[in-house]
PDB file of all heavy atoms in Angstrom:
ATOM      1  N   ALA J   1     -23.887  -8.597 -12.871  1.00  0.00           N
ATOM      2  CA  ALA J   1     -23.603  -8.806 -14.284  1.00  0.00           C
ATOM      3  C   ALA J   1     -23.609 -10.289 -14.654  1.00  0.00           C
ATOM      4  O   ALA J   1     -23.994 -10.658 -15.758  1.00  0.00           O
ATOM      5  CB  ALA J   1     -22.271  -8.182 -14.637  1.00  0.00           C
ATOM      6  N   LYS J   2     -23.209 -11.126 -13.716  1.00  0.00           N
ATOM      7  CA  LYS J   2     -23.143 -12.564 -13.995  1.00  0.00           C
ATOM      8  C   LYS J   2     -24.370 -13.301 -13.469  1.00  0.00           C
ATOM      9  O   LYS J   2     -24.451 -14.520 -13.653  1.00  0.00           O
ATOM     10  CB  LYS J   2     -21.880 -13.151 -13.359  1.00  0.00           C
ATOM     11  CG  LYS J   2     -20.587 -12.625 -13.949  1.00  0.00           C
ATOM     12  CD  LYS J   2     -19.380 -13.292 -13.301  1.00  0.00           C
ATOM     13  CE  LYS J   2     -18.089 -12.796 -13.918  1.00  0.00           C
ATOM     14  NZ  LYS J   2     -16.900 -13.431 -13.280  1.00  0.00           N
ATOM     15  N   ASN J   3     -25.279 -12.592 -12.814  1.00  0.00           N
ATOM     16  CA  ASN J   3     -26.452 -13.237 -12.215  1.00  0.00           C
ATOM     17  C   ASN J   3     -26.016 -14.407 -11.324  1.00  0.00           C
ATOM     18  O   ASN J   3     -26.603 -15.510 -11.374  1.00  0.00           O
ATOM     19  CB  ASN J   3     -27.420 -13.725 -13.297  1.00  0.00           C
ATOM     20  CG  ASN J   3     -28.858 -13.406 -12.974  1.00  0.00           C
ATOM     21  OD1 ASN J   3     -29.141 -12.403 -12.317  1.00  0.00           O
ATOM     22  ND2 ASN J   3     -29.764 -14.246 -13.430  1.00  0.00           N
ATOM     23  N   THR J   4     -25.006 -14.167 -10.541  1.00  0.00           N
ATOM     24  CA  THR J   4     -24.392 -15.209  -9.739  1.00  0.00           C
ATOM     25  C   THR J   4     -24.274 -14.747  -8.287  1.00  0.00           C
ATOM     26  O   THR J   4     -23.958 -13.578  -8.026  1.00  0.00           O
ATOM     27  CB  THR J   4     -22.994 -15.564 -10.285  1.00  0.00           C
ATOM     28  OG1 THR J   4     -23.136 -16.079 -11.614  1.00  0.00           O
ATOM     29  CG2 THR J   4     -22.315 -16.617  -9.415  1.00  0.00           C
ATOM     30  N   VAL J   5     -24.536 -15.661  -7.378  1.00  0.00           N
ATOM     31  CA  VAL J   5     -24.383 -15.386  -5.955  1.00  0.00           C
ATOM     32  C   VAL J   5     -23.286 -16.292  -5.417  1.00  0.00           C
ATOM     33  O   VAL J   5     -23.099 -17.416  -5.883  1.00  0.00           O
ATOM     34  CB  VAL J   5     -25.717 -15.587  -5.211  1.00  0.00           C
ATOM     35  CG1 VAL J   5     -26.210 -17.027  -5.313  1.00  0.00           C
ATOM     36  CG2 VAL J   5     -25.589 -15.185  -3.749  1.00  0.00           C
ATOM     37  N   TYR J   6     -22.550 -15.792  -4.449  1.00  0.00           N
ATOM     38  CA  TYR J   6     -21.433 -16.526  -3.872  1.00  0.00           C
ATOM     39  C   TYR J   6     -21.619 -16.679  -2.368  1.00  0.00           C
ATOM     40  O   TYR J   6     -22.296 -15.888  -1.717  1.00  0.00           O
ATOM     41  CB  TYR J   6     -20.128 -15.773  -4.144  1.00  0.00           C
ATOM     42  CG  TYR J   6     -19.866 -15.492  -5.592  1.00  0.00           C
ATOM     43  CD1 TYR J   6     -20.196 -14.248  -6.152  1.00  0.00           C
ATOM     44  CD2 TYR J   6     -19.301 -16.455  -6.422  1.00  0.00           C
ATOM     45  CE1 TYR J   6     -19.963 -13.994  -7.500  1.00  0.00           C
ATOM     46  CE2 TYR J   6     -19.057 -16.196  -7.760  1.00  0.00           C
ATOM     47  CZ  TYR J   6     -19.394 -14.967  -8.295  1.00  0.00           C
ATOM     48  OH  TYR J   6     -19.160 -14.709  -9.620  1.00  0.00           O
ATOM     49  N   LEU J   7     -20.969 -17.691  -1.844  1.00  0.00           N
ATOM     50  CA  LEU J   7     -20.866 -17.856  -0.404  1.00  0.00           C
ATOM     51  C   LEU J   7     -19.403 -18.115  -0.088  1.00  0.00           C
ATOM     52  O   LEU J   7     -18.881 -19.206  -0.388  1.00  0.00           O
ATOM     53  CB  LEU J   7     -21.738 -18.994   0.106  1.00  0.00           C
ATOM     54  CG  LEU J   7     -21.786 -19.137   1.627  1.00  0.00           C
ATOM     55  CD1 LEU J   7     -22.515 -17.942   2.259  1.00  0.00           C
ATOM     56  CD2 LEU J   7     -22.464 -20.450   2.033  1.00  0.00           C
ATOM     57  N   GLN J   8     -18.740 -17.119   0.454  1.00  0.00           N
ATOM     58  CA  GLN J   8     -17.360 -17.267   0.895  1.00  0.00           C
ATOM     59  C   GLN J   8     -17.364 -17.842   2.297  1.00  0.00           C
ATOM     60  O   GLN J   8     -17.957 -17.254   3.201  1.00  0.00           O
ATOM     61  CB  GLN J   8     -16.640 -15.918   0.873  1.00  0.00           C
ATOM     62  CG  GLN J   8     -15.212 -15.977   1.367  1.00  0.00           C
ATOM     63  CD  GLN J   8     -14.294 -16.766   0.442  1.00  0.00           C
ATOM     64  OE1 GLN J   8     -14.362 -16.619  -0.772  1.00  0.00           O
ATOM     65  NE2 GLN J   8     -13.438 -17.592   1.026  1.00  0.00           N
ATOM     66  N   MET J   9     -16.703 -18.977   2.459  1.00  0.00           N
ATOM     67  CA  MET J   9     -16.704 -19.660   3.744  1.00  0.00           C
ATOM     68  C   MET J   9     -15.266 -19.738   4.247  1.00  0.00           C
ATOM     69  O   MET J   9     -14.412 -20.366   3.606  1.00  0.00           O
ATOM     70  CB  MET J   9     -17.291 -21.067   3.601  1.00  0.00           C
ATOM     71  CG  MET J   9     -18.672 -21.081   2.952  1.00  0.00           C
ATOM     72  SD  MET J   9     -19.449 -22.699   2.955  1.00  0.00           S
ATOM     73  CE  MET J   9     -18.331 -23.606   1.901  1.00  0.00           C
ATOM     74  N   ASN J  10     -15.021 -19.103   5.367  1.00  0.00           N
ATOM     75  CA  ASN J  10     -13.698 -19.091   5.977  1.00  0.00           C
ATOM     76  C   ASN J  10     -13.730 -19.791   7.334  1.00  0.00           C
ATOM     77  O   ASN J  10     -14.803 -19.989   7.910  1.00  0.00           O
ATOM     78  CB  ASN J  10     -13.213 -17.654   6.155  1.00  0.00           C
ATOM     79  CG  ASN J  10     -13.083 -16.910   4.844  1.00  0.00           C
ATOM     80  OD1 ASN J  10     -12.780 -17.499   3.810  1.00  0.00           O
ATOM     81  ND2 ASN J  10     -13.320 -15.611   4.884  1.00  0.00           N
ATOM     82  N   SER J  11     -12.568 -20.137   7.814  1.00  0.00           N
ATOM     83  CA  SER J  11     -12.431 -20.786   9.126  1.00  0.00           C
ATOM     84  C   SER J  11     -13.395 -21.946   9.251  1.00  0.00           C
ATOM     85  O   SER J  11     -14.121 -22.082  10.246  1.00  0.00           O
ATOM     86  CB  SER J  11     -12.680 -19.765  10.241  1.00  0.00           C
ATOM     87  OG  SER J  11     -11.793 -18.678  10.137  1.00  0.00           O
ATOM     88  N   LEU J  12     -13.399 -22.793   8.267  1.00  0.00           N
ATOM     89  CA  LEU J  12     -14.374 -23.900   8.230  1.00  0.00           C
ATOM     90  C   LEU J  12     -14.136 -24.891   9.353  1.00  0.00           C
ATOM     91  O   LEU J  12     -12.995 -25.187   9.738  1.00  0.00           O
ATOM     92  CB  LEU J  12     -14.320 -24.589   6.877  1.00  0.00           C
ATOM     93  CG  LEU J  12     -15.054 -23.817   5.761  1.00  0.00           C
ATOM     94  CD1 LEU J  12     -14.597 -24.273   4.388  1.00  0.00           C
ATOM     95  CD2 LEU J  12     -16.550 -23.975   5.911  1.00  0.00           C
ATOM     96  N   LYS J  13     -15.254 -25.412   9.848  1.00  0.00           N
ATOM     97  CA  LYS J  13     -15.231 -26.381  10.939  1.00  0.00           C
ATOM     98  C   LYS J  13     -15.866 -27.687  10.437  1.00  0.00           C
ATOM     99  O   LYS J  13     -16.673 -27.673   9.499  1.00  0.00           O
ATOM    100  CB  LYS J  13     -16.054 -25.851  12.115  1.00  0.00           C
ATOM    101  CG  LYS J  13     -15.628 -24.483  12.616  1.00  0.00           C
ATOM    102  CD  LYS J  13     -16.573 -23.989  13.698  1.00  0.00           C
ATOM    103  CE  LYS J  13     -16.205 -22.595  14.191  1.00  0.00           C
ATOM    104  NZ  LYS J  13     -17.130 -22.119  15.235  1.00  0.00           N
ATOM    105  N   PRO J  14     -15.563 -28.793  11.075  1.00  0.00           N
ATOM    106  CA  PRO J  14     -16.189 -30.067  10.672  1.00  0.00           C
ATOM    107  C   PRO J  14     -17.711 -30.000  10.674  1.00  0.00           C
ATOM    108  O   PRO J  14     -18.364 -30.608   9.821  1.00  0.00           O
ATOM    109  CB  PRO J  14     -15.662 -31.056  11.710  1.00  0.00           C
ATOM    110  CG  PRO J  14     -14.345 -30.496  12.105  1.00  0.00           C
ATOM    111  CD  PRO J  14     -14.525 -29.005  12.088  1.00  0.00           C
ATOM    112  N   GLU J  15     -18.277 -29.229  11.578  1.00  0.00           N
ATOM    113  CA  GLU J  15     -19.739 -29.120  11.636  1.00  0.00           C
ATOM    114  C   GLU J  15     -20.328 -28.280  10.500  1.00  0.00           C
ATOM    115  O   GLU J  15     -21.546 -28.197  10.360  1.00  0.00           O
ATOM    116  CB  GLU J  15     -20.196 -28.552  12.989  1.00  0.00           C
ATOM    117  CG  GLU J  15     -19.524 -27.253  13.381  1.00  0.00           C
ATOM    118  CD  GLU J  15     -18.340 -27.460  14.314  1.00  0.00           C
ATOM    119  OE1 GLU J  15     -17.559 -28.430  14.083  1.00  0.00           O
ATOM    120  OE2 GLU J  15     -18.192 -26.659  15.262  1.00  0.00           O
ATOM    121  N   ASP J  16     -19.476 -27.660   9.678  1.00  0.00           N
ATOM    122  CA  ASP J  16     -19.970 -26.949   8.498  1.00  0.00           C
ATOM    123  C   ASP J  16     -20.198 -27.884   7.321  1.00  0.00           C
ATOM    124  O   ASP J  16     -20.731 -27.479   6.291  1.00  0.00           O
ATOM    125  CB  ASP J  16     -18.972 -25.873   8.064  1.00  0.00           C
ATOM    126  CG  ASP J  16     -18.849 -24.747   9.067  1.00  0.00           C
ATOM    127  OD1 ASP J  16     -19.893 -24.311   9.608  1.00  0.00           O
ATOM    128  OD2 ASP J  16     -17.711 -24.288   9.307  1.00  0.00           O
ATOM    129  N   ALA J  17     -19.797 -29.126   7.448  1.00  0.00           N
ATOM    130  CA  ALA J  17     -19.915 -30.068   6.341  1.00  0.00           C
ATOM    131  C   ALA J  17     -21.369 -30.377   6.010  1.00  0.00           C
ATOM    132  O   ALA J  17     -22.235 -30.370   6.897  1.00  0.00           O
ATOM    133  CB  ALA J  17     -19.183 -31.365   6.676  1.00  0.00           C
ATOM    134  N   GLY J  18     -21.617 -30.644   4.759  1.00  0.00           N
ATOM    135  CA  GLY J  18     -22.955 -30.974   4.310  1.00  0.00           C
ATOM    136  C   GLY J  18     -23.126 -30.626   2.850  1.00  0.00           C
ATOM    137  O   GLY J  18     -22.169 -30.188   2.200  1.00  0.00           O
ATOM    138  N   VAL J  19     -24.317 -30.800   2.359  1.00  0.00           N
ATOM    139  CA  VAL J  19     -24.637 -30.367   1.010  1.00  0.00           C
ATOM    140  C   VAL J  19     -25.188 -28.943   1.100  1.00  0.00           C
ATOM    141  O   VAL J  19     -26.111 -28.678   1.866  1.00  0.00           O
ATOM    142  CB  VAL J  19     -25.659 -31.300   0.346  1.00  0.00           C
ATOM    143  CG1 VAL J  19     -26.005 -30.798  -1.052  1.00  0.00           C
ATOM    144  CG2 VAL J  19     -25.112 -32.722   0.271  1.00  0.00           C
ATOM    145  N   TYR J  20     -24.613 -28.064   0.324  1.00  0.00           N
ATOM    146  CA  TYR J  20     -25.018 -26.658   0.333  1.00  0.00           C
ATOM    147  C   TYR J  20     -25.900 -26.378  -0.880  1.00  0.00           C
ATOM    148  O   TYR J  20     -25.562 -26.743  -2.015  1.00  0.00           O
ATOM    149  CB  TYR J  20     -23.782 -25.764   0.321  1.00  0.00           C
ATOM    150  CG  TYR J  20     -23.160 -25.615   1.683  1.00  0.00           C
ATOM    151  CD1 TYR J  20     -22.483 -26.686   2.274  1.00  0.00           C
ATOM    152  CD2 TYR J  20     -23.261 -24.421   2.401  1.00  0.00           C
ATOM    153  CE1 TYR J  20     -21.925 -26.563   3.536  1.00  0.00           C
ATOM    154  CE2 TYR J  20     -22.695 -24.287   3.660  1.00  0.00           C
ATOM    155  CZ  TYR J  20     -22.047 -25.359   4.222  1.00  0.00           C
ATOM    156  OH  TYR J  20     -21.489 -25.234   5.477  1.00  0.00           O
ATOM    157  N   TYR J  21     -27.012 -25.729  -0.603  1.00  0.00           N
ATOM    158  CA  TYR J  21     -27.997 -25.437  -1.635  1.00  0.00           C
ATOM    159  C   TYR J  21     -28.161 -23.930  -1.799  1.00  0.00           C
ATOM    160  O   TYR J  21     -28.245 -23.182  -0.820  1.00  0.00           O
ATOM    161  CB  TYR J  21     -29.349 -26.025  -1.262  1.00  0.00           C
ATOM    162  CG  TYR J  21     -29.372 -27.537  -1.143  1.00  0.00           C
ATOM    163  CD1 TYR J  21     -29.110 -28.152   0.072  1.00  0.00           C
ATOM    164  CD2 TYR J  21     -29.650 -28.336  -2.252  1.00  0.00           C
ATOM    165  CE1 TYR J  21     -29.129 -29.534   0.188  1.00  0.00           C
ATOM    166  CE2 TYR J  21     -29.681 -29.711  -2.147  1.00  0.00           C
ATOM    167  CZ  TYR J  21     -29.418 -30.310  -0.917  1.00  0.00           C
ATOM    168  OH  TYR J  21     -29.434 -31.673  -0.821  1.00  0.00           O
ATOM    169  N   CYS J  22     -28.276 -23.538  -3.029  1.00  0.00           N
ATOM    170  CA  CYS J  22     -28.646 -22.177  -3.369  1.00  0.00           C
ATOM    171  C   CYS J  22     -30.153 -22.144  -3.591  1.00  0.00           C
ATOM    172  O   CYS J  22     -30.716 -23.087  -4.165  1.00  0.00           O
ATOM    173  CB  CYS J  22     -27.907 -21.763  -4.645  1.00  0.00           C
ATOM    174  SG  CYS J  22     -28.311 -20.136  -5.279  1.00  0.00           S
ATOM    175  N   THR J  23     -30.780 -21.092  -3.157  1.00  0.00           N
ATOM    176  CA  THR J  23     -32.232 -21.067  -3.218  1.00  0.00           C
ATOM    177  C   THR J  23     -32.743 -19.634  -3.364  1.00  0.00           C
ATOM    178  O   THR J  23     -31.987 -18.677  -3.146  1.00  0.00           O
ATOM    179  CB  THR J  23     -32.809 -21.744  -1.963  1.00  0.00           C
ATOM    180  OG1 THR J  23     -34.224 -21.741  -2.025  1.00  0.00           O
ATOM    181  CG2 THR J  23     -32.373 -21.020  -0.706  1.00  0.00           C
ATOM    182  N   SER J  24     -34.015 -19.511  -3.723  1.00  0.00           N
ATOM    183  CA  SER J  24     -34.547 -18.181  -3.966  1.00  0.00           C
ATOM    184  C   SER J  24     -36.066 -18.160  -3.813  1.00  0.00           C
ATOM    185  O   SER J  24     -36.737 -19.190  -3.980  1.00  0.00           O
ATOM    186  CB  SER J  24     -34.169 -17.715  -5.378  1.00  0.00           C
ATOM    187  OG  SER J  24     -34.617 -16.393  -5.629  1.00  0.00           O
ATOM    188  N   TYR J  25     -36.573 -16.994  -3.467  1.00  0.00           N
ATOM    189  CA  TYR J  25     -38.017 -16.777  -3.500  1.00  0.00           C
ATOM    190  C   TYR J  25     -38.289 -15.321  -3.847  1.00  0.00           C
ATOM    191  O   TYR J  25     -37.399 -14.474  -3.720  1.00  0.00           O
ATOM    192  CB  TYR J  25     -38.682 -17.163  -2.176  1.00  0.00           C
ATOM    193  CG  TYR J  25     -38.415 -16.252  -0.988  1.00  0.00           C
ATOM    194  CD1 TYR J  25     -39.238 -15.183  -0.683  1.00  0.00           C
ATOM    195  CD2 TYR J  25     -37.333 -16.518  -0.138  1.00  0.00           C
ATOM    196  CE1 TYR J  25     -38.994 -14.371   0.415  1.00  0.00           C
ATOM    197  CE2 TYR J  25     -37.081 -15.714   0.971  1.00  0.00           C
ATOM    198  CZ  TYR J  25     -37.917 -14.657   1.245  1.00  0.00           C
ATOM    199  OH  TYR J  25     -37.669 -13.859   2.333  1.00  0.00           O
ATOM    200  N   LEU J  26     -39.516 -15.087  -4.272  1.00  0.00           N
ATOM    201  CA  LEU J  26     -39.955 -13.731  -4.591  1.00  0.00           C
ATOM    202  C   LEU J  26     -40.691 -13.170  -3.380  1.00  0.00           C
ATOM    203  O   LEU J  26     -41.770 -13.669  -3.030  1.00  0.00           O
ATOM    204  CB  LEU J  26     -40.857 -13.748  -5.815  1.00  0.00           C
ATOM    205  CG  LEU J  26     -41.277 -12.391  -6.392  1.00  0.00           C
ATOM    206  CD1 LEU J  26     -40.054 -11.641  -6.881  1.00  0.00           C
ATOM    207  CD2 LEU J  26     -42.273 -12.583  -7.515  1.00  0.00           C
ATOM    208  N   PRO J  27     -40.143 -12.179  -2.707  1.00  0.00           N
ATOM    209  CA  PRO J  27     -40.792 -11.676  -1.500  1.00  0.00           C
ATOM    210  C   PRO J  27     -41.953 -10.749  -1.834  1.00  0.00           C
ATOM    211  O   PRO J  27     -42.134 -10.329  -2.980  1.00  0.00           O
ATOM    212  CB  PRO J  27     -39.664 -10.921  -0.818  1.00  0.00           C
ATOM    213  CG  PRO J  27     -38.831 -10.405  -1.957  1.00  0.00           C
ATOM    214  CD  PRO J  27     -38.886 -11.479  -3.006  1.00  0.00           C
ATOM    215  N   SER J  28     -42.729 -10.415  -0.819  1.00  0.00           N
ATOM    216  CA  SER J  28     -43.784  -9.433  -1.008  1.00  0.00           C
ATOM    217  C   SER J  28     -43.163  -8.071  -1.280  1.00  0.00           C
ATOM    218  O   SER J  28     -42.022  -7.804  -0.909  1.00  0.00           O
ATOM    219  CB  SER J  28     -44.678  -9.373   0.232  1.00  0.00           C
ATOM    220  OG  SER J  28     -43.939  -8.885   1.337  1.00  0.00           O
ATOM    221  N   ALA J  29     -43.932  -7.205  -1.896  1.00  0.00           N
ATOM    222  CA  ALA J  29     -43.410  -5.906  -2.296  1.00  0.00           C
ATOM    223  C   ALA J  29     -42.995  -5.070  -1.094  1.00  0.00           C
ATOM    224  O   ALA J  29     -42.091  -4.230  -1.196  1.00  0.00           O
ATOM    225  CB  ALA J  29     -44.459  -5.169  -3.119  1.00  0.00           C
ATOM    226  N   LEU J  30     -43.617  -5.298   0.042  1.00  0.00           N
ATOM    227  CA  LEU J  30     -43.321  -4.496   1.242  1.00  0.00           C
ATOM    228  C   LEU J  30     -42.216  -5.115   2.091  1.00  0.00           C
ATOM    229  O   LEU J  30     -41.817  -4.535   3.093  1.00  0.00           O
ATOM    230  CB  LEU J  30     -44.593  -4.330   2.074  1.00  0.00           C
ATOM    231  CG  LEU J  30     -45.747  -3.599   1.399  1.00  0.00           C
ATOM    232  CD1 LEU J  30     -46.959  -3.539   2.323  1.00  0.00           C
ATOM    233  CD2 LEU J  30     -45.326  -2.197   0.979  1.00  0.00           C
ATOM    234  N   SER J  31     -41.726  -6.268   1.714  1.00  0.00           N
ATOM    235  CA  SER J  31     -40.723  -6.955   2.522  1.00  0.00           C
ATOM    236  C   SER J  31     -39.405  -6.187   2.517  1.00  0.00           C
ATOM    237  O   SER J  31     -38.941  -5.733   1.473  1.00  0.00           O
ATOM    238  CB  SER J  31     -40.493  -8.360   1.978  1.00  0.00           C
ATOM    239  OG  SER J  31     -39.452  -8.992   2.662  1.00  0.00           O
ATOM    240  N   THR J  32     -38.815  -6.025   3.692  1.00  0.00           N
ATOM    241  CA  THR J  32     -37.554  -5.302   3.794  1.00  0.00           C
ATOM    242  C   THR J  32     -36.387  -6.203   4.181  1.00  0.00           C
ATOM    243  O   THR J  32     -35.255  -5.739   4.260  1.00  0.00           O
ATOM    244  CB  THR J  32     -37.674  -4.189   4.848  1.00  0.00           C
ATOM    245  OG1 THR J  32     -38.031  -4.779   6.096  1.00  0.00           O
ATOM    246  CG2 THR J  32     -38.720  -3.168   4.439  1.00  0.00           C
ATOM    247  N   SER J  33     -36.674  -7.465   4.413  1.00  0.00           N
ATOM    248  CA  SER J  33     -35.609  -8.383   4.792  1.00  0.00           C
ATOM    249  C   SER J  33     -35.923  -9.761   4.242  1.00  0.00           C
ATOM    250  O   SER J  33     -36.885  -9.940   3.519  1.00  0.00           O
ATOM    251  CB  SER J  33     -35.444  -8.427   6.310  1.00  0.00           C
ATOM    252  OG  SER J  33     -36.624  -8.933   6.911  1.00  0.00           O
ATOM    253  N   CYS J  34     -35.092 -10.737   4.599  1.00  0.00           N
ATOM    254  CA  CYS J  34     -35.279 -12.102   4.115  1.00  0.00           C
ATOM    255  C   CYS J  34     -35.430 -13.045   5.300  1.00  0.00           C
ATOM    256  O   CYS J  34     -35.095 -12.710   6.421  1.00  0.00           O
ATOM    257  CB  CYS J  34     -34.111 -12.525   3.225  1.00  0.00           C
ATOM    258  SG  CYS J  34     -32.505 -12.473   4.050  1.00  0.00           S
ATOM    259  N   THR J  35     -35.905 -14.231   4.999  1.00  0.00           N
ATOM    260  CA  THR J  35     -36.085 -15.238   6.025  1.00  0.00           C
ATOM    261  C   THR J  35     -35.196 -16.441   5.740  1.00  0.00           C
ATOM    262  O   THR J  35     -34.883 -16.737   4.588  1.00  0.00           O
ATOM    263  CB  THR J  35     -37.543 -15.708   6.097  1.00  0.00           C
ATOM    264  OG1 THR J  35     -37.671 -16.739   7.072  1.00  0.00           O
ATOM    265  CG2 THR J  35     -38.025 -16.262   4.755  1.00  0.00           C
ATOM    266  N   LEU J  36     -34.812 -17.135   6.795  1.00  0.00           N
ATOM    267  CA  LEU J  36     -34.053 -18.377   6.657  1.00  0.00           C
ATOM    268  C   LEU J  36     -34.940 -19.595   6.891  1.00  0.00           C
ATOM    269  O   LEU J  36     -34.447 -20.672   7.230  1.00  0.00           O
ATOM    270  CB  LEU J  36     -32.862 -18.375   7.612  1.00  0.00           C
ATOM    271  CG  LEU J  36     -31.722 -17.441   7.229  1.00  0.00           C
ATOM    272  CD1 LEU J  36     -30.620 -17.451   8.295  1.00  0.00           C
ATOM    273  CD2 LEU J  36     -31.147 -17.806   5.867  1.00  0.00           C
ATOM    274  N   ALA J  37     -36.232 -19.414   6.709  1.00  0.00           N
ATOM    275  CA  ALA J  37     -37.156 -20.530   6.797  1.00  0.00           C
ATOM    276  C   ALA J  37     -37.229 -21.227   5.439  1.00  0.00           C
ATOM    277  O   ALA J  37     -37.652 -20.622   4.449  1.00  0.00           O
ATOM    278  CB  ALA J  37     -38.534 -20.045   7.211  1.00  0.00           C
ATOM    279  N   ALA J  38     -36.843 -22.484   5.404  1.00  0.00           N
ATOM    280  CA  ALA J  38     -36.750 -23.206   4.130  1.00  0.00           C
ATOM    281  C   ALA J  38     -38.085 -23.288   3.406  1.00  0.00           C
ATOM    282  O   ALA J  38     -38.112 -23.294   2.170  1.00  0.00           O
ATOM    283  CB  ALA J  38     -36.205 -24.602   4.378  1.00  0.00           C
ATOM    284  N   THR J  39     -39.170 -23.324   4.138  1.00  0.00           N
ATOM    285  CA  THR J  39     -40.477 -23.476   3.511  1.00  0.00           C
ATOM    286  C   THR J  39     -40.866 -22.274   2.660  1.00  0.00           C
ATOM    287  O   THR J  39     -41.773 -22.355   1.844  1.00  0.00           O
ATOM    288  CB  THR J  39     -41.555 -23.711   4.570  1.00  0.00           C
ATOM    289  OG1 THR J  39     -41.483 -22.652   5.537  1.00  0.00           O
ATOM    290  CG2 THR J  39     -41.342 -25.043   5.278  1.00  0.00           C
ATOM    291  N   ARG J  40     -40.159 -21.185   2.836  1.00  0.00           N
ATOM    292  CA  ARG J  40     -40.470 -19.978   2.069  1.00  0.00           C
ATOM    293  C   ARG J  40     -39.877 -20.014   0.668  1.00  0.00           C
ATOM    294  O   ARG J  40     -40.271 -19.232  -0.196  1.00  0.00           O
ATOM    295  CB  ARG J  40     -39.951 -18.759   2.838  1.00  0.00           C
ATOM    296  CG  ARG J  40     -40.381 -17.419   2.271  1.00  0.00           C
ATOM    297  CD  ARG J  40     -41.882 -17.202   2.359  1.00  0.00           C
ATOM    298  NE  ARG J  40     -42.252 -15.896   1.833  1.00  0.00           N
ATOM    299  CZ  ARG J  40     -42.520 -15.662   0.547  1.00  0.00           C
ATOM    300  NH1 ARG J  40     -42.425 -16.657  -0.320  1.00  0.00           N
ATOM    301  NH2 ARG J  40     -42.868 -14.468   0.150  1.00  0.00           N
TER     302      ARG J  40
END
């Protein structure tokens, strides 16, 4: 309803620090999963 995505982060560690980016792509029609490759 809000067109909003969240990332709940618990038990945070120092190595979790950084700039966090939200991102999106339009997958192929037959795609059943997503990739964590930034170039996509």
